[in-house]
């Protein structure tokens, strides 16, 4: 008896699924995409109601001119300023499932950080989730193109990507001619106690390389701490400090006033700079603005 | 038969007299030996780090800074800065914080007559953490980042004061009430700290680093601020070693033996809390030192506070210097939070001692 019920249930589900498929195929075949964390995502038709679960995803949505279809964002989304007017459905690591369902999204753009909790929860509710967590510019371009393709903005996406690529090329062409000696030693700092910096495999490393600098922490992997004595001994010629949100920059004050950093060329020559955390900490088209800013800081003589 | 027994009792008493003076000798030797170990370990710690500097160069740099020595070498000013401006003040800071945590732990354990007591039992760490987190998220700052240690220090003292006021019953301070009030207020503070951390995602990195403890930015200015306060606190506590011994009986008996129990409790609590607050405000809430060091000393040297307190100070310094040296060299040029090391090294070592001594002591 039990077995029969199970059989019936499976058959019914199978039939429903089949019916669903045949109905879909009569309109349009779903396209299949692989997202940034390797999930295969089936997307059918052009999404009309998009939710973004990270500030960088929101920037990418705006960059493609899809803001009218954006029906939910996170509480940290501050760029472009218009994003602040959108419905908030999520914090950074906590999402509000009720609000998300009520907003009836047909596409949720998630972040890598949500892969263990929010993404499975949304999948269980039958919501289409595409994850964008680019680690480098190629992945940004790929995400722009995929989202452009999904949302019927293929041409806009292609134009945007080729524009970004040519801007990167302008910087890279100038710095490519530099010899190693002409590339100043750069220390990048996100926090000073202990000193947190960015090593190999990070976007920051890529930007410093492209902008014609030498990252003194390139022997570290990913975002990592570096001891004060190593930082001082490697004698950075330029120190770049990440800006802090809404507050006076404690790390910047520390590096400028600390006795231990006084022996470094960067402090001696007043080459300690603050950069915008929102631009350098997010992987969005604005990262190219960041590259241009960084290139001007490192090589003011080349970029005027 | 009875005479025989009396004679044997008398004999043991007589035999204990030279034994007592040899205990005194034993105390001097133990403290002196441990001091020497502290100095040697500090000097060795000075020669290792994420920047490789030859053993000989380190010594030349140190000697060149001694008065009346005129020594010039071929090391760069940067190398000099690494040794005398970064490593040396760091080792001094670590030592000072280690003594404070070790003695505070021994004092709390003695006062509460509870082996689980540690310097963070009655709200010092939780208050410091909340103060520090408020320092992290305030939209303004002053004094080159001194706002975080300042608020951590204030938070620690405020938390202990509130616990004290809540626990006080008339003119007495029942230790059980104090522990319960400490635990309750501690939990309340932790929940506020957790909430503030959660809503300030961009500061999480700094906050977590502070909570796990780090000497990464230690300098002479910090040492000059904390060392005198810790020295005064230690001196006061050392003066009360005998009273602490008597209070191990129980409070009533101690009172009958002429100890002003309530006054002693308040002075010791205030001193131990003060040195703990001073210890954590710059470097964060480093765990395990305050609980493991006094126990280890007790397992090796016995429960006499005249020996336990100074040896906990030295032991705390040594353990923390070893842990900090590991923290700045194991993954060089990266740093591992020192609190992670103290727990990782301290806990197994303590279990080993416990197992060794189990047959005789417990």
């Amino acid at each position: 008896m039990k077995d029969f019920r199970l059989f019936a249930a499976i058959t019914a589900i199978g039939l429903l699924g089949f019916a669903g498929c045949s109905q879909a195929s009569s309109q349009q075949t779903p396209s299949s995409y692989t997202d940034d964390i390797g999930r295969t995502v089936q997307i059918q038709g052009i999404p009309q109601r998009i939710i973004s679960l990270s500030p960088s995803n929101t920037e990418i949505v705006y960059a493609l001119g899809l803001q009218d279809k954006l029906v939910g964002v996170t509480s940290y989304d501050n760029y472009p300023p218009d994003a602040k007017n959108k419905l908030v459905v999520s914090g950074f690591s906590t999402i509000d499932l009720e609000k998300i369902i009520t907003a009836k999204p047909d596409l949720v753009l998630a972040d890598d950080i949500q892969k263990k909790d929010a993404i499975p929860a949304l999948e269980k509710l039958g919501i289409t989730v595409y994850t964008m967590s680019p680690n480098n510019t190629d992945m940004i371009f790929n995400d722009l193109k995929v989202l452009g393709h999904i949302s019927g903005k293929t041409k806009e996406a292609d134009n945007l990507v080729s524009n970004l690529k040519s801007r990167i090329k302008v910087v890279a062409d100038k710095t490519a001619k530099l010899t190693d000696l002409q590339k100043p030693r750069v220390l990048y700092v996100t926090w000073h106690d202990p000193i947190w910096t960015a090593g190999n495999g990070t976007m920051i490393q890529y930007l410093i390389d492209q902008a014609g600098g030498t990252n003194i922490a390139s022997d570290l992997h990913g975002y990592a701490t570096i001891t004060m004595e190593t930082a001082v001994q490697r004698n950075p010629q330029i120190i770049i400090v990440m800006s802090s949100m809404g507050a006076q920059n404690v790390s910047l004050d520390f590096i400028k006033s600390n006795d231990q950093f006084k022996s470094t060329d960067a402090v001696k020559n007043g080459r300690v700079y603050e950069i915008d955390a929102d631009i350098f900490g997010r992987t969005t088209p604005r990262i190219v603005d960041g590259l241009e800013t960084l290139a001007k800081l490192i090589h003011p003589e080349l970029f005027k | 038969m009875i005479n025989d027994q009396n004679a044997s009792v008398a004999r043991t008493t007589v035999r204990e007299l030279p034994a007592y003076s040899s205990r005194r000798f034993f105390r001097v030797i133990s403290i002196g030996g441990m001091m020497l170990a502290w100095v040697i370990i500090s000097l060795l710690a000075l020669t290792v780090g994420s920047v490789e500097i030859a053993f000989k160069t380190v010594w030349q740099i140190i000697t060149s800074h001694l008065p009346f020595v005129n020594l010039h070498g071929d090391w760069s000013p940067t190398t000099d800065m690494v040794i005398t401006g970064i490593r040396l003040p760091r080792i001094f800071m670590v030592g000072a914080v280690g003594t404070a945590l070790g003695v505070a732990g021994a004092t709390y354990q003695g006062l509460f007559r509870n082996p689980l007591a540690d310097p963070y039992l009655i709200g010092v760490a939780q208050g410091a953490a909340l103060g520090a987190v408020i320092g992290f998220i305030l939209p303004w700052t002053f004094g080159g980042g001194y706002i975080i240690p300042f608020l951590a220090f204030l938070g620690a003292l405020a938390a202990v004061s509130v616990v004290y006021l809540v626990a006080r019953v008339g003119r007495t301070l029942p230790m059980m009430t104090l522990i319960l009030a400490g635990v309750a207020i501690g939990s309340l503070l932790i929940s506020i700290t957790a909430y503030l951390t959660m809503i300030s995602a961009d500061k999480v990195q700094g906050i977590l680093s502070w909570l796990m403890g780090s000497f990464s930015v230690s300098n002479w200015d910090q040492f000059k601020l904390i060392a005198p306060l810790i020295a005064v606190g230690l001196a006061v506590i050392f003066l009360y070693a005998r009273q602490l011994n008597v209070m191990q009986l129980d409070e009533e008996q101690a009172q009958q033996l002429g100890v002003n129990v309530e006054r002693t409790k308040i002075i010791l609590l205030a001193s131990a809390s003060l040195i703990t607050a001073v210890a954590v405000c710059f470097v964060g809430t480093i765990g395990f030192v305050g609980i493991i060091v006094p126990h280890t000393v007790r397992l090796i040297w016995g429960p006499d506070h005249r020996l336990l307190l100074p040896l906990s100070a030295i032991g705390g310094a040594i353990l923390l210097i070893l842990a900090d040296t590991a923290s700045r060299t194991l993954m060089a040029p990266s740093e591992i939070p020192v609190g992670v090391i103290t727990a990782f090294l301290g806990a197994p070592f303590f279990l080993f001692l416990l197992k060794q001594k189990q047959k005789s002591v417990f």
Side-chain angles (χ1 to χ4, degrees):
Chain A
M1 193 61 186
K2 255 184 188 171
D3 285 348
F4 170 74
R5 272 189 199 162
L6 189 65
F7 174 71
I10 291 169
T11 317
I13 292 167
L15 285 173
L16 281 172
F18 185 72
C21 277
S22 56
Q23 196 193 354
S25 61
S26 68
Q27 293 174 352
Q28 192 187 354
T29 42
S31 317
S32 173
Y33 303 90
T34 306
D35 70 6
D36 285 351
I37 56 171
R39 295 164 59 250
T40 306
V41 183
Q42 304 276 342
I43 294 173
Q44 189 188 304
I46 293 174
Q48 297 302 320
R49 300 181 66 80
I50 301 174
I51 282 180
S52 156
L53 293 183
S54 82
S56 56
N57 288 352
T58 301
E59 289 193 24
I60 288 176
V61 168
Y62 273 87
L64 288 170
L66 294 167
Q67 56 270 31
D68 293 342
K69 294 178 179 172
L70 191 62
V71 294
V73 295
T74 82
S75 55
Y76 289 91
D77 295 9
N78 55 5
Y79 188 88
D82 180 53
K84 289 183 205 157
N85 304 326
K86 298 283 183 184
L87 176 71
V88 171
V89 296
S90 159
F92 184 61
S93 52
T94 54
I95 66 161
D96 189 337
L97 275 180
E98 289 183 19
K99 275 199 178 139
I100 291 178
I101 296 165
T102 318
K104 294 196 182 72
D106 46 14
L107 177 63
V108 170
L109 299 172
D111 187 272
D112 185 25
I113 201 172
Q114 291 140 348
K115 75 177 159 202
K116 296 260 166 74
D117 44 18
I119 294 175
L122 290 166
E123 276 177 330
K124 215 173 231 176
L125 294 166
I127 293 171
T128 308
V129 182
Y130 183 82
T131 314
M132 301 203 287
S133 262
N135 293 323
N136 52 47
T137 45
D138 284 342
M139 286 172 86
I140 298 177
F141 300 151
N142 182 57
D143 281 338
L144 282 170
K145 285 188 169 174
V146 169
L147 188 60
H149 191 253
I150 292 171
S151 54
K153 297 252 183 188
T154 313
K155 215 179 134 200
E156 287 85 343
D158 286 347
N159 286 341
L160 181 58
V161 168
S162 63
N163 174 270
L164 293 171
K165 278 184 177 167
S166 67
R167 281 169 60 198
I168 293 176
K169 197 169 175 296
V170 168
V171 175
D173 282 350
K174 284 191 183 172
T175 58
K177 293 171 198 135
L178 298 169
T179 62
D180 279 354
L181 275 176
Q182 290 171 311
K183 293 180 175 173
R185 297 180 298 276
V186 179
L187 170 66
Y188 170 80
V189 176
T190 55
W191 180 249
H192 67 284
D193 179 15
I195 302 167
W196 276 90
T197 186
N200 205 7
T202 59
M203 178 65 94
I204 297 295
Q205 166 88 57
Y206 168 83
L207 293 177
I208 292 174
D209 283 345
Q210 294 295 312
T214 309
N215 183 7
I216 67 162
S218 59
D219 55 334
L220 295 171
H221 187 76
Y223 290 89
T225 56
I226 185 166
T227 61
M228 172 87 79
E229 59 178 70
T230 301
V232 168
Q233 198 262 343
R234 291 185 182 173
N235 191 12
Q237 292 162 296
I238 294 170
I239 300 178
I240 306 278
V241 185
M242 186 91 118
S243 69
S244 64
M245 202 190 281
Q248 200 174 326
N249 197 332
V250 185
S251 296
L252 184 73
D253 293 351
F254 175 85
I255 285 171
K256 282 185 172 170
S257 63
N258 185 281
D259 280 343
Q260 294 154 327
F261 271 107
K262 268 187 189 149
S263 63
T264 62
D265 288 350
V267 175
K268 270 191 217 156
N269 302 326
R271 298 194 73 184
V272 181
Y273 307 113
E274 185 181 38
I275 55 167
D276 188 342
D278 287 351
I279 294 178
F280 285 84
R282 296 176 186 173
T283 40
T284 73
R286 277 206 293 165
I287 205 76
V288 180
D289 300 358
L291 174 63
E292 289 163 352
T293 310
L294 198 61
K296 270 182 203 156
L297 290 177
I298 297 178
H299 290 289
E301 76 287 355
L302 290 180
F303 302 93
K304 276 163 189 158
Chain B
M1 187 70 184
I2 290 166
N3 269 351
D4 256 25
Q5 232 174 13
N6 280 349
S8 84
V9 168
R11 265 203 304 277
T12 40
T13 330
V14 173
R15 240 187 261 130
E16 289 219 350
L17 279 172
Y20 187 79
S21 52
S22 82
R23 289 294 291 180
R24 194 189 183 95
F25 179 67
F26 173 68
R27 279 214 312 263
V28 173
I29 286 292
S30 299
I31 294 175
M34 285 288 278
M35 287 278 253
L36 190 65
W38 179 5
V39 173
I40 291 171
I41 287 170
S42 299
L43 290 174
L44 288 178
L46 192 60
T47 61
V48 292
S50 58
V51 174
E52 259 184 62
I53 300 170
F55 196 80
K56 206 179 128 200
T57 316
V58 174
W59 288 107
Q60 284 176 334
I61 290 174
I62 294 297
T63 339
S64 74
H65 282 274
L66 295 175
F68 312 117
V69 174
N70 200 4
L71 180 69
H72 297 287
D74 53 354
W75 59 83
S76 69
T78 308
T79 310
D80 193 310
M81 169 56 84
V82 166
I83 297 296
T84 61
I86 298 176
R87 267 188 217 168
L88 200 58
R90 181 164 177 160
I91 290 166
F92 271 75
M93 271 294 278
V94 177
V97 169
T99 59
L101 292 178
V103 170
T107 310
Y108 276 116
Q109 283 167 14
L111 273 176
F112 291 106
R113 294 197 297 277
N114 185 333
L116 278 177
D118 81 346
Y120 304 154
L121 184 68
I122 54 167
V124 177
Q126 296 84 344
L130 179 57
V133 170
I134 292 172
F136 273 100
I137 63 178
L138 275 184
W140 39 266
T141 178
F142 59 80
Y146 274 95
I147 188 163
I148 291 167
F150 176 71
L151 288 180
F153 181 72
L154 275 189
L157 294 190
V160 177
S161 309
V162 171
V163 169
Y164 169 78
L165 291 174
V166 168
R168 201 170 168 78
V169 178
R171 281 190 178 174
T172 61
L173 186 63
M175 288 322 225
M176 188 53 82
T177 324
L178 192 63
I179 293 183
L180 292 175
V183 170
I185 289 170
S187 309
L188 180 71
L189 295 174
I190 288 174
S191 72
I192 301 171
T193 309
Y195 174 73
L196 291 179
T197 309
M198 197 201 77
I199 59 163
S200 43
D202 61 317
K203 303 286 191 310
V204 166
Q205 204 174 40
I207 293 173
L208 275 183
S209 300
W210 192 90
L211 290 176
M212 289 191 286
S214 161
F215 290 94
S216 61
V217 297
S218 296
N219 58 42
W220 288 118
D221 292 342
Q222 296 181 357
F223 180 74
K224 281 180 205 154
L225 269 175
I226 72 162
L229 286 168
I230 290 177
V232 170
L234 293 189
V236 171
I237 292 173
F238 289 168
L239 287 177
Y240 278 83
R242 279 163 193 281
Q243 279 89 330
L244 255 183
N245 277 344
V246 178
M247 281 169 68
Q248 297 314 298
L249 299 166
D250 75 36
E251 288 185 8
E252 218 166 292
Q253 287 185 45
Q255 193 79 45
Q256 284 160 2
L257 285 169
V259 175
N260 186 341
V261 171
E262 291 306 319
R263 208 184 69 180
T264 307
K265 276 198 287 195
I266 288 172
I267 289 175
L268 283 176
L269 270 180
S271 310
S273 304
L274 176 78
I275 59 174
T276 309
V278 173
V280 301
C281 69
F282 278 104
V283 300
T285 47
I286 299 161
F288 271 90
V289 179
I291 190 158
I292 272 180
V293 168
H295 277 301
T296 309
V297 173
R298 207 177 283 117
L299 284 171
I300 299 174
W301 281 279
D304 181 351
H305 283 85
R306 289 173 302 171
L307 198 53
L308 178 60
L309 292 172
L311 287 182
S312 293
I314 304 167
I318 290 177
L319 174 71
L320 210 49
I321 289 173
L322 291 175
D324 182 61
T325 308
S327 117
R328 62 197 172 83
T329 53
L330 282 186
M331 284 184 61
S334 265
E335 222 169 288
I336 307 170
V338 69
V340 173
I341 308 266
T342 53
F344 193 79
L345 294 181
F349 174 63
F350 180 64
L351 286 176
F352 166 76
L353 266 182
L354 204 61
K355 238 16 202 170
Q356 288 281 303
K357 287 274 178 172
Q358 218 162 25
K359 297 143 207 160
S360 55
V361 176
F362 292 99

